[in-house]
Amino acid sequence: MALIQISEPGKSAAPHQQRLAVGIDLGTTNSLVATVRSGMPVTLQDENGRSILPSVVRYLANGSVITGEAAKKAAIIDPLNTISSVKRLMGRDIADINASSGDIHYEFAETGSPAPRIKTVAGNVSAIEVSAEILKQLKHRAEQALGGELTGAVVTVPAYFDDAQRQATKDAAKLAGLNVLRLLNEPTAAAVAYGLDKKAEGVHVIYDLGGGTFDVSVLRLNRGVFEVMSTAGNSTLGGDDFDRAIANWLKQQAAISSNVDQSLVRQLIQKACDAKEALTDADSVTIEISDAANGISWHGTLTRDILRGLIDPLISQTLLPCKRALRDAGITRDDIADVVMVGGSTRVPRVRELVREFFGREPLVDVDPELVVAIGAAIQADILVGNKPQDEMLLLDVIPLSLGIETMGGLAEKIIQRNTTIPVARAQEFTTFKDGQTAMSIHVVQGERELVSDCRSLAKFELHGIPPMVAGAARIRVTFQVDADGLLSVSAKEQTTGVASSIQVKPSYGLSDSEIEHMLRDSMSHAEQDVTARNLREQQVEADRVILALQAALKADGERLLSTDEIRQVQSKLEMLQKTRQGNDHAAIKRAIDDLNQASTEFAARRMNESISSAMAGHKLDDFGR
């Protein structure tokens, strides 16, 4: 007997009111699209019943594009026109790529732009354009399966993607014709899938090791609120690195030189990947390499023990961010309810072993680690388009690195600290350094160090129209806004006149290979050195301000208000400060500033009295009381 669903009056949703929304996991190795059907999240399959779409794109001479499984199969015969692992290139410049990937097997065009463009027979393409082809295929699959046009999509990104990488992902989605409802951090998406399915509250660690990126996030789940307490990771570490380590071992075993054609390189990487996957269930696997063009014919055996020696150093690199994430969250391993494994590379048994040893508990793997991110994104998309109440679930993500501006002396003034929950807006007031200053340059930086030279430059813009005032009188309010996608905009406004300027921070490339990791590690290892450097710069800036102000005052009123001896005493202290300011002792500079202030106190008092007398001239005392 058929059953019908009965709803309260006014609460039922007509079929035409159901908005079509999807969650997309744009992965390094594989990508997926999922949606919510009849209240249940499901991944969408292609005509062959496959959920997973290999993140591989092949360009042909006639201008056509092949995406997915067919492109993956052509990687060995057409390596230069078949692009895989493009996620590693998103938001990065050519110098970063060359410095980090000695194995890069593409040819890059000389365009004069920092953003890399890959040479293909169909023309030069960017990482954004390649990613857009993958997203187009997923969009087509979704619209075919759902029978209509999509309202929007939630696209996931690694938690450790910086502003440039996030913007590049959003640009790729726009190019693919998708309406991006939100960029969602991959670990948070996994927590959504687990949290709503398991109704699990408490502190959870999401260990996400994919094909090209690694993230670890500590989240607190409480009554439908997903709060990210901390995040860490490496945006250029993943299963691809396992494959390269195995491929290099194969080169050594088969006595293959490093100068081989790209077809053989692709074959080695594919053999390495297949062997790695086979060792998930087997203790050993036989590998055969045959390349008539290079006169190579070899077969041998790769065991789990050999594999362990090859990949253990790489897995260990994921445990350092895990330590930092726990420390940043202010918790110990005993506070953790469970550890959720996400990403295809967590299928490797050795990864699970070392994670279990580190956290002291068996990691959760009962939801397919390759599907869980897309499922979580689909659940969030369903809420954002209005198919479910907005208050059913609240996601509180964080930014991975501090954001701030450059101040006098090359100091980095942090306005939003790392691991701050987003969306967020923070404002801080600054002032002018020189008398009559009518413009200010705003330099936006990202990083944890005290000096701008040790941080990453994101953008620069200028604020004009500041009314000419004495130094320190102007009030410029600088506001940083980070939206739910983790994208930054900065504005500056002079408070008395209302003149304003702003910028949407959109750099052409992002942080290099482990640069975020280095930034955080350096901020800890150089903490004492940075504090000393900051103290020195601050005192030098203050010394410059005092010197300029006193020199201007002496020029204007020195001979009129001071005796020759008094001028000589002030000049002596002034010269002493100028000399001390050139040194590296911040305490000595402060003492010299104090000595000069003390020597010029009487001069300042006489100038003040004269100003007051001048202002009161021609007025009665009663005039100032009205």
Side-chain angles (χ1 to χ4, degrees):
M1 180 170 133
L3 299 177
I4 62 171
Q5 180 177 338
I6 300 177
S7 301
E8 294 180 27
K11 296 293 181 72
S12 62
H16 67 274
Q17 294 176 323
Q18 188 77 9
R19 298 178 178 88
L20 302 181
V22 294
I24 293 177
D25 176 9
L26 182 60
T28 306
T29 307
N30 298 305
S31 297
L32 301 97
V33 59
T35 193
V36 174
R37 278 178 166 168
S38 302
M40 294 295 294
V42 293
T43 56
L44 300 178
Q45 300 177 341
D46 63 12
E47 60 276 8
N48 297 312
R50 294 175 299 209
S51 295
I52 289 174
L53 174 74
S55 301
V56 186
V57 178
R58 184 188 182 193
Y59 291 88
L60 302 180
N62 62 7
S64 61
V65 179
I66 300 174
T67 307
E69 192 65 40
K72 181 180 177 181
K73 291 177 180 177
I76 294 175
I77 61 171
D78 191 16
L80 295 180
N81 299 302
T82 307
I83 303 169
S84 60
S85 299
V86 73
K87 188 172 179 177
R88 287 192 159 195
L89 309 183
M90 293 286 277
R92 297 173 60 214
D93 75 352
I94 190 67
D96 292 338
I97 294 167
N98 288 335
S100 64
S101 304
D103 257 3
I104 205 74
H105 44 261
Y106 305 121
E107 294 181 5
F108 293 99
E110 295 289 340
T111 62
S113 168
R117 295 189 69 83
I118 303 168
K119 290 182 179 180
T120 75
V121 292
N124 301 332
V125 295
S126 68
I128 291 174
E129 291 169 305
V130 178
S131 295
E133 293 297 338
I134 299 168
L135 290 169
K136 284 178 187 176
Q137 188 71 20
L138 295 173
K139 177 175 181 279
H140 175 73
R141 178 188 296 186
E143 290 178 339
Q144 288 290 105
L146 300 177
E149 187 175 341
L150 297 180
T151 301
V154 169
V155 182
T156 63
V157 292
Y160 239 43
F161 256 24
D162 64 37
D163 193 82
Q165 292 166 309
R166 290 170 189 272
Q167 187 64 58
T169 303
K170 203 165 188 179
D171 288 346
K174 184 178 180 180
L175 192 60
L178 286 167
N179 172 34
V180 179
L181 302 168
R182 180 174 179 181
L183 296 181
L184 183 62
N185 285 350
E186 290 165 4
T188 310
V192 170
Y194 263 92
L196 293 186
D197 183 48
K198 304 290 183 182
K199 304 296 181 185
E201 297 195 348
V203 176
H204 302 261
V205 171
I206 313 297
Y207 179 99
D208 184 356
L209 184 61
T213 61
F214 169 69
D215 288 308
V216 58
S217 291
V218 180
L219 303 96
R220 189 187 303 277
L221 277 61
N222 183 27
R223 297 180 181 179
V225 177
F226 290 74
E227 177 190 3
V228 181
M229 302 170 70
S230 67
T231 189
N234 187 329
S235 61
T236 56
L237 175 66
D240 285 359
D241 299 284
F242 293 2
D243 297 344
R244 275 194 283 270
I246 299 168
N248 288 335
W249 178 82
L250 291 174
K251 278 185 183 180
Q252 294 175 355
Q253 299 303 307
I256 299 173
S257 70
S258 56
N259 299 321
V260 294
D261 59 50
Q262 293 301 327
S263 178
L264 181 55
V265 170
R266 285 294 189 98
Q267 182 186 164
L268 290 172
I269 291 175
Q270 187 59 55
K271 294 284 186 181
C273 181
D274 293 343
K276 176 189 68 179
E277 293 175 359
L279 288 174
T280 299
D281 301 311
D283 292 326
S284 65
V285 59
T286 300
I287 304 173
E288 294 187 2
I289 300 172
S290 179
D291 190 289
N294 291 285
I296 296 170
S297 178
W298 176 88
H299 75 275
T301 301
L302 176 65
T303 66
R304 276 193 178 183
D305 286 340
I306 295 173
L307 177 65
R308 179 180 303 177
L310 296 174
I311 66 175
D312 270 13
L314 295 169
I315 301 172
S316 296
Q317 289 181 37
T318 70
L319 301 180
L320 292 174
C322 291
K323 290 180 182 178
R324 188 173 64 251
L326 294 180
R327 183 177 62 247
D328 288 349
I331 64 170
T332 66
R333 299 173 198 184
D334 294 336
D335 298 318
I336 299 169
D338 52 47
V339 179
V340 176
M341 301 295 273
V342 180
S345 297
T346 62
R347 294 181 182 277
V348 177
R350 185 58 175 165
V351 172
R352 297 181 180 182
E353 287 175 20
L354 292 182
V355 170
R356 180 174 62 247
E357 290 176 11
F358 179 83
F359 287 103
R361 68 198 67 233
E362 195 70 36
L364 296 181
V365 293
D366 43 342
V367 176
D368 190 322
E370 286 191 288
L371 307 184
V372 65
V373 169
I375 287 172
I379 294 170
Q380 175 68 355
D382 200 48
I383 293 172
L384 291 179
V385 294
N387 292 333
K388 288 185 179 179
Q390 285 279 352
D391 59 0
E392 184 163 319
M393 177 177 62
L394 178 64
L395 299 180
L396 301 176
D397 256 332
V398 297
I399 61 171
L401 282 173
S402 299
L403 297 162
I405 69 169
E406 178 179 359
T407 58
M408 286 301 298
L411 296 174
E413 182 69 24
K414 297 179 181 68
I415 293 180
I416 301 180
Q417 300 284 343
R418 70 186 175 97
N419 283 329
T420 296
T421 301
I422 58 173
V424 64
R426 292 277 191 275
Q428 194 165 323
E429 284 196 359
F430 298 87
T431 189
T432 50
F433 181 75
K434 293 182 179 180
D435 292 344
Q437 185 175 335
T438 60
M440 177 180 285
S441 176
I442 311 293
H443 183 195
V444 183
V445 297
Q446 182 178 41
E448 305 308 314
R449 301 289 296 277
E450 296 295 332
L451 303 183
V452 167
S453 57
D454 296 320
C455 295
R456 184 61 175 259
S457 173
L458 287 184
K460 292 181 180 179
F461 67 102
E462 293 183 347
L463 175 65
H464 293 277
I466 300 171
M469 309 180 196
V470 296
R475 292 167 50 226
I476 294 95
R477 187 175 182 84
V478 178
T479 303
F480 275 49
Q481 289 184 302
V482 181
D483 64 18
D485 296 330
L487 300 177
L488 170 68
S489 60
V490 182
S491 62
K493 182 178 182 180
E494 203 286 312
Q495 297 296 85
T496 58
T497 62
V499 295
S501 183
S502 64
I503 190 170
Q504 179 77 35
V505 177
K506 188 177 178 180
S508 58
Y509 54 91
L511 300 177
S512 63
D513 269 4
S514 309
E515 197 164 1
I516 295 179
E517 176 78 17
H518 289 318
M519 281 182 170
L520 294 178
R521 191 163 53 240
D522 288 349
S523 71
M524 289 177 248
S525 62
H526 294 86
E528 186 175 341
Q529 173 187 333
D530 283 356
V531 169
T532 301
R534 186 179 187 89
N535 288 337
L536 176 61
R537 291 290 178 88
E538 287 177 343
Q539 292 304 320
Q540 287 175 333
V541 170
E542 178 63 11
D544 291 340
R545 186 193 66 79
V546 170
I547 290 169
L548 286 173
L550 187 55
Q551 285 175 334
L554 286 172
K555 183 177 180 180
D557 301 314
E559 293 184 0
R560 192 166 49 80
L561 297 179
L562 295 176
S563 67
T564 303
D565 286 343
E566 287 173 328
I567 291 177
R568 188 182 302 114
Q569 290 175 10
V570 172
Q571 286 284 10
S572 174
K573 296 297 184 182
L574 180 59
E575 290 170 4
M576 178 59 69
L577 175 56
Q578 289 173 320
K579 180 180 178 181
T580 308
R581 185 249 180 262
Q582 303 305 318
N584 296 320
D585 188 342
H586 66 86
I589 298 174
K590 186 178 187 306
R591 287 193 298 270
I593 292 172
D594 292 341
D595 289 346
L596 179 57
N597 284 336
Q598 187 174 354
S600 59
T601 298
E602 181 61 28
F603 180 38
R606 291 176 192 174
R607 294 189 81 210
M608 179 68 73
N609 290 336
E610 188 175 75
S611 296
I612 294 173
S613 298
S614 176
M616 293 183 66
H619 297 279
K620 296 178 181 179
L621 187 60
D622 290 345
D623 293 340
F624 295 95
R626 286 198 289 268

